[in-house]
Amino acid sequence: MVQPVKSKSGRSPSGVPVSGRAWLMLALATVGFAVNFWAWALLSPLGPRFKESLDLSSFQQSLLVAVPVVVGSLGRVPVGALTDRFGGRVMFPIVSAVTIVPVLSLGLAGHSSLAALLVGGFFLGIGGTAFAVGVPFVNAWFPPERRGLGIGVFGAGMGGTAISALTTVRLVDARGMAAPFLITAAVLAVYAVVAAAVLRDAPGRTVPAEPLARRLAVTFRLGITWQASALYAVAFGGYVAFSVYLPTYLKTGYGLTQADAANRMAGFVLLAVAMRPVGGWLSDRLGPVRILAGALAVVVAGAVVQSFTPALAPVGTVAFLAMAAALGAGSGATFALVALLTPADRVGSVTGVVGAAGGLGGFLPPLVMGSLYGEYGTYAAGLALLAIVAAAALAFTLTAVRAAVRGGDRKPRTGRRSGHHRIAGTTA
């Protein structure tokens, strides 16, 4: 069984000190992640409004919302590799500043036609790549024993999508279409300036020397790249899928009003966001395999229960909130696993691929759920399929992933320390 590592003094590795400067860098990175995700998610809340004003079909509305997400997800692969090379101090201001351009374009002139929205949405996807900048940046600042917590706290910046969901439509109603875009652009500009002035890469950061193409080729050959991608596609992909589709599910399956369904979706999102750093912290203490296994088991149970469409109060609500907590914790644990098994000079590259898998993993389930509901008039089959996928991920975690952790613990990797400087939970 995996056991927490103890120091000579008998303290858990969670007692390893972290400098005040590291916490400051973490706070700035988390804010940057949240701000860029806020921008990245600006079009989604306005999808129904654009559908009505531009007479869009359902497919065109889905395409409008999907384009920034797909670009932001795939863009994490090269951006993560570039972060390995140039560092977060350079990449955070660049990503934030470049994202200002499509935000202003959409707010001032790019919302009058579907073509303009799609072009603006394509470049808006750049904001979604901020995740691949922050993980290697934070990873380098924190000691191995605390990286699960650090990356988990950074991951809470995904709550930036909630800022967009809660403010965009209200600002449009109160101040006009340009308002949310102008405000977001201003916040991005302030952050880019602050990041350029204050952010610093960790002392001794490992900088890869080989060309970008070669680094990506090596990244795709690493086992952890594909293991973490599969797990993140389920954990974070499940979170994305529910945050996108839950209002439709609640409105169709339970007859809730749009406002009530949106509020319940917000509760799901906030709980998942809050549990992400908890998942990272627990991974530092107990090991990521245990936390991932526990989280996936909860998802299996919740999906099975919900497949019977129980009464929303209390059984359905408990099932959904349990899955929200599990998906958030599982997302945090996945990147604790990345920090544990990835060579230090390739964290950005691996993060880019894994982050892309998670983002893309969130957009297949809503399509499947909608198709199955249209065919059978019930969501039972879709939720049963979720239970099967989560069960497969659980089996994968307890076999291949556990073996990789044990093997990695016995093999010191380039750029990483061995001995008692390992992440907690890596001793077989």
Side-chain angles (χ1 to χ4, degrees):
M1 297 293 292
V2 178
Q3 298 292 335
V5 177
K6 296 287 184 180
S7 68
K8 292 180 179 179
S9 64
R11 292 188 305 169
S12 167
S14 61
V16 174
V18 177
S19 69
R21 195 175 189 190
W23 289 115
L24 174 62
M25 295 300 107
L26 172 60
L28 288 171
T30 304
V31 171
F33 181 25
V35 169
N36 278 277
F37 257 41
W38 175 8
W40 187 42
L42 280 171
L43 289 182
S44 180
L46 296 173
R49 185 163 304 215
F50 289 133
K51 180 180 182 180
E52 181 178 340
S53 63
L54 299 177
D55 194 27
L56 304 181
S57 67
S58 296
F59 173 78
Q60 289 173 325
Q61 181 186 352
S62 300
L63 183 65
L64 173 63
V65 173
V67 164
V69 175
V70 172
V71 173
S73 298
L74 295 177
R76 293 173 188 177
V77 177
V79 168
L82 289 171
T83 302
D84 279 339
R85 177 66 181 85
F86 297 106
R89 180 187 181 185
V90 171
M91 294 301 295
F92 253 129
I94 288 177
V95 168
S96 302
V98 171
T99 303
I100 293 172
V101 177
V103 170
L104 286 177
S105 172
L106 286 165
L108 296 176
H111 55 265
S112 58
S113 69
L114 177 61
L117 284 169
L118 291 176
V119 171
F122 180 91
F123 290 101
L124 192 64
I126 295 170
T129 67
F131 178 75
V133 177
V135 170
F137 176 79
V138 171
N139 183 79
W141 268 107
F142 278 69
E145 299 86 351
R146 305 297 296 276
R147 284 176 181 160
L149 173 63
I151 295 174
V153 170
F154 168 76
M158 67 187 188
T161 57
I163 298 176
S164 178
L166 294 172
T167 63
T168 301
V169 174
R170 293 180 182 180
L171 285 170
V172 169
D173 289 339
R175 302 289 182 180
M177 181 60 70
F181 296 91
L182 293 176
I183 292 172
T184 307
V187 175
L188 282 167
V190 170
Y191 178 77
V193 172
V194 172
V198 180
L199 280 184
R200 296 292 183 271
D201 289 311
R205 183 180 72 87
T206 304
V207 180
E210 68 266 37
L212 175 62
R214 184 179 302 172
R215 278 187 283 130
L216 287 175
V218 173
T219 297
F220 283 115
R221 291 198 295 268
L222 292 174
I224 181 59
T225 302
W226 301 108
Q227 292 164 352
S229 292
L231 294 172
Y232 204 56
V234 176
F236 185 70
Y239 158 79
V240 172
F242 276 121
S243 65
V244 169
Y245 199 71
L246 193 55
T248 299
Y249 173 91
L250 293 173
K251 185 177 179 182
T252 304
Y254 287 96
L256 300 186
T257 65
Q258 186 172 358
D260 191 10
N263 288 336
R264 290 173 187 268
M265 182 272 285
F268 182 99
V269 167
L270 292 174
L271 179 57
V273 168
M275 285 300 296
R276 184 159 180 155
V278 174
W281 175 74
L282 288 173
S283 295
D284 286 338
R285 300 181 65 85
L286 303 175
V289 170
R290 281 183 173 177
I291 304 309
L292 276 165
L296 290 167
V298 171
V299 174
V300 172
V304 169
V305 169
Q306 196 56 37
S307 68
F308 293 97
T309 317
L312 195 55
V315 178
T317 299
V318 171
F320 275 118
L321 291 180
M323 285 192 287
L327 292 169
S331 297
T334 300
F335 273 95
L337 186 71
V338 169
L340 172 62
L341 295 181
T342 306
D345 59 344
R346 302 195 187 278
V347 172
S349 300
V350 172
T351 294
V353 177
V354 175
L360 295 176
F363 278 85
L364 180 59
L367 297 177
V368 172
M369 291 284 281
S371 298
L372 290 174
Y373 184 83
E375 182 71 22
Y376 300 108
T378 175
Y379 289 112
L383 287 157
L385 187 58
L386 170 61
I388 292 171
V389 171
L394 173 58
F396 179 65
T397 299
L398 293 175
T399 54
V401 175
R402 173 174 282 173
V405 169
R406 288 175 173 173
D409 186 56
R410 291 191 292 268
K411 298 176 183 178
R413 292 174 297 281
T414 303
R416 302 290 298 273
R417 295 182 181 182
S418 57
H420 70 278
H421 292 287
R422 296 174 297 207
I423 285 185
T426 63
T427 302

